[in-house]
């Protein structure tokens, strides 16, 4: 894995160490974290910080860092993660605009969320994919989306034990579909992996991690932060509601784009599934999940709206990054200078 600055290099070196407690590196970590956060002009798009947070979260998922088990709850790493999380959350709350809060009534909350996520007629990544994207750009799109989609649903599933009653039941109903209703070949992450293989891409998790920019990592980091913190359970619910409400139409357009270039069901199945499934999920997420949670715990309404707004903002920035690169005739993936970039850390 390629570090992107002093902070991510320090964390990767720690995780690559054979020593169970390499004191010099651990002692430096807190200072390096504070320095990196103070120096960052745009934390959401900061390559070093977002990669570091992604790696620290990966210790809980267990699918990127091969030797991470003994580090998952190490106080120094947890402390660094909490410091970065605090700054990340503060940056998002400063940048993301939330609508006026409705009454904490199920239907009113659902209506507010549907208003937030209503489609507009402006330029969008999915419309570009449907009409203009080249074969190379479609492959790039799959690479960019793989950071989340190869672990689809997992970040939101952290919220299951943090909810009760109606909201928990609604979340489990949605997640059961995401995990294929008990059929391994229907797990959405597995279906996406098949899509990647169908176009000749590597479907192993993290295979293209060095190629995706900070804003792509920030999208996954956002939902993981919301899901892992009980105090942010309202935000993860709002995030999922917005995520589901903005999936069905783009999925149809994405499928059209792949079909336009001659790809068949082996490639489009993932998107075709989401056209129908997410049209149902958005109703459950808006009313039975977010609406019910707001009724049962009215104090969480503000975070529900913040989670939805943050989802729309960060995913919108990530999509805008890709679209602007393509419109300028550039790749949306990172351009790395082998001579100036830090050497790879082997884990």
């Amino acid at each position: 894995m390629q570090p992107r600055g002093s902070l991510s290099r320090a964390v990767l070196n720690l995780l690559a160490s054979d020593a169970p407690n390499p004191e010099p590196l651990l002692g430096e970590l807190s200072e390096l974290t504070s320095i990196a956060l103070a120096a960052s002009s745009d934390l959401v798009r900061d390559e070093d910080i977002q990669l570091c947070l992604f790696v620290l979260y990966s210790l809980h998922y267990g699918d990127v860092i091969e030797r991470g088990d003994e580090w998952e709850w190490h106080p120094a790493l947890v402390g660094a993660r909490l410091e970065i999380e605090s700054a990340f959350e503060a940056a998002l709350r400063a940048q993301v605009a939330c609508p006026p809060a409705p009454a904490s009534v199920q239907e009113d909350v659902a209506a507010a969320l549907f208003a937030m996520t209503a489609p507009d007629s402006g330029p969008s990544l999915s419309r570009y994919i449907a009409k203009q994207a080249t074969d190379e750009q479609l492959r790039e799109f799959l690479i960019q989306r793989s950071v989340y989609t190869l672990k689809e649903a997992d970040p939101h599933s952290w919220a299951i034990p943090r909810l009760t009653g109606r909201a928990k039941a609604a979340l489990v109903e949605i997640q059961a579909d995401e995990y294929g209703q008990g059929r391994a070949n229907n797990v959405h992450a597995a279906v996406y992996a098949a899509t990647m293989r169908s176009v000749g891409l590597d479907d192993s998790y993290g295979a293209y991690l060095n190629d995706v920019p900070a804003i792509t990592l920030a999208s996954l980091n956002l939902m993981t932060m919301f899901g892992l913190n009980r105090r942010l359970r309202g935000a993860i619910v709002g995030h999922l509601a917005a995520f589901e409400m903005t999936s069905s139409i783009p999925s149809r357009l994405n499928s059209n784009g792949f079909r336009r270039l001659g790809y068949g069901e082996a490639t489009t199945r993932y998107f075709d599934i989401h056209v129908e499934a997410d049209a149902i999920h958005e109703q459950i997420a808006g009313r039975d999940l977010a609406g019910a949670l707001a009724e049962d715990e009215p104090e969480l309404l503000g975070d529900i709206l913040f989670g939805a707004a943050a989802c729309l903002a960060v995913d919108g920035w990530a999509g805008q990054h890709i679209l602007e690169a393509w419109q300028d005739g550039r790749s949306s993936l990172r351009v790395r200078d082998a001579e100036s970039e830090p050497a790879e850390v082997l884990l």
Side-chain angles (χ1 to χ4, degrees):
M1 185 185 303
Q2 199 90 34
R4 303 185 187 182
S6 299
L7 184 57
S8 55
R9 168 166 286 282
V11 170
L12 289 169
N13 280 337
L14 269 172
L15 298 175
S17 173
D18 290 330
N21 200 23
E23 293 297 338
L25 286 171
L26 285 167
E28 293 174 6
L29 183 57
S30 178
E31 181 180 1
L32 286 172
T33 301
S34 297
I35 291 171
L37 292 172
S40 179
S41 60
D42 185 355
L43 195 146
V44 177
R45 295 172 177 82
D46 190 296
E47 298 289 347
D48 191 26
I49 290 172
Q50 289 298 332
L51 177 62
C52 180
L53 187 56
F54 174 87
V55 170
L56 293 174
Y57 283 147
S58 294
L59 297 175
H60 300 293
Y61 289 112
D63 51 9
V64 174
I65 307 301
E66 295 178 3
R67 301 162 64 181
D69 286 354
E70 69 274 22
W71 292 107
E72 181 180 3
W73 296 107
H74 193 287
L77 296 183
V78 172
R81 193 197 90 198
L82 292 175
E83 189 173 354
I84 297 171
E85 277 185 344
S86 178
F88 186 32
E89 182 184 349
L92 289 167
R93 289 190 183 275
Q95 295 179 52
V96 172
C98 292
S104 295
V105 177
Q106 189 173 24
E107 287 302 319
D108 289 357
V109 172
L113 291 169
F114 277 110
M116 290 175 67
T117 58
D120 59 42
S121 58
S124 76
L125 180 60
S126 58
R127 292 190 187 99
Y128 185 96
I129 287 172
K131 300 293 186 182
Q132 296 178 251
T134 65
D135 189 79
E136 182 179 358
Q137 289 170 341
L138 291 180
R139 289 161 57 85
E140 265 190 30
F141 172 71
L142 293 177
I143 289 171
Q144 294 275 17
R145 289 292 188 261
S146 69
V147 174
Y148 163 70
T149 312
L150 287 177
K151 58 158 48 67
E152 183 168 349
D154 290 350
H156 296 106
S157 291
W158 294 114
I160 293 173
R162 293 166 169 83
L163 299 176
T164 60
R166 294 184 293 167
K168 173 178 276 192
L171 179 55
V172 169
E173 182 178 1
I174 293 171
Q175 299 303 81
D177 283 345
E178 303 288 347
Y179 293 123
Q181 291 289 347
R183 295 175 175 83
N185 63 327
N186 288 337
V187 172
H188 288 183
V191 178
Y192 192 83
T195 292
M196 294 187 73
R197 293 194 301 273
S198 76
V199 300
L201 293 174
D202 187 342
D203 69 335
S204 57
Y205 191 78
Y208 300 100
L209 185 58
N210 290 331
D211 301 303
V212 299
I215 192 62
T216 299
L217 300 179
S219 178
L220 178 61
N221 287 341
L222 171 71
M223 61 183 89
T224 305
M225 176 177 69
F226 287 165
L228 274 178
N229 288 278
R230 184 179 181 277
R231 66 180 179 82
L232 293 173
R233 63 194 183 279
I236 191 62
V237 163
H239 186 287
L240 180 58
F243 198 83
E244 297 293 343
M245 290 173 177
T246 54
S247 174
S248 182
I249 294 174
S251 291
R252 175 174 53 79
L253 293 172
N254 292 337
S255 184
N256 290 345
F258 280 94
R259 284 197 172 90
R260 174 175 56 83
L261 293 184
Y263 289 100
E265 185 180 358
T267 302
T268 64
R269 181 178 175 232
Y270 172 83
F271 302 106
D272 296 338
I273 286 172
H274 284 75
V275 173
E276 181 177 350
D278 290 346
I280 298 171
H281 289 174
E282 68 180 22
Q283 300 295 327
I284 300 170
R287 293 180 169 82
D288 302 328
L289 176 57
L293 181 63
E295 275 193 347
D296 295 343
E297 300 185 63
E299 68 277 12
L300 297 182
L301 176 58
D303 271 354
I304 292 172
L305 296 176
F306 168 61
C311 172
L312 297 173
V314 175
D315 285 358
W317 295 333
Q320 182 181 27
H321 164 81
I322 298 172
L323 183 58
E324 289 179 352
W326 291 353
Q327 289 174 332
D328 289 344
R330 298 180 286 109
S331 169
S332 68
L333 300 176
R334 292 180 69 227
V335 177
R336 294 179 283 122
D337 185 341
E339 294 183 0
S340 63
E341 189 140 321
E344 186 173 11
V345 175
L346 299 177
L347 295 173

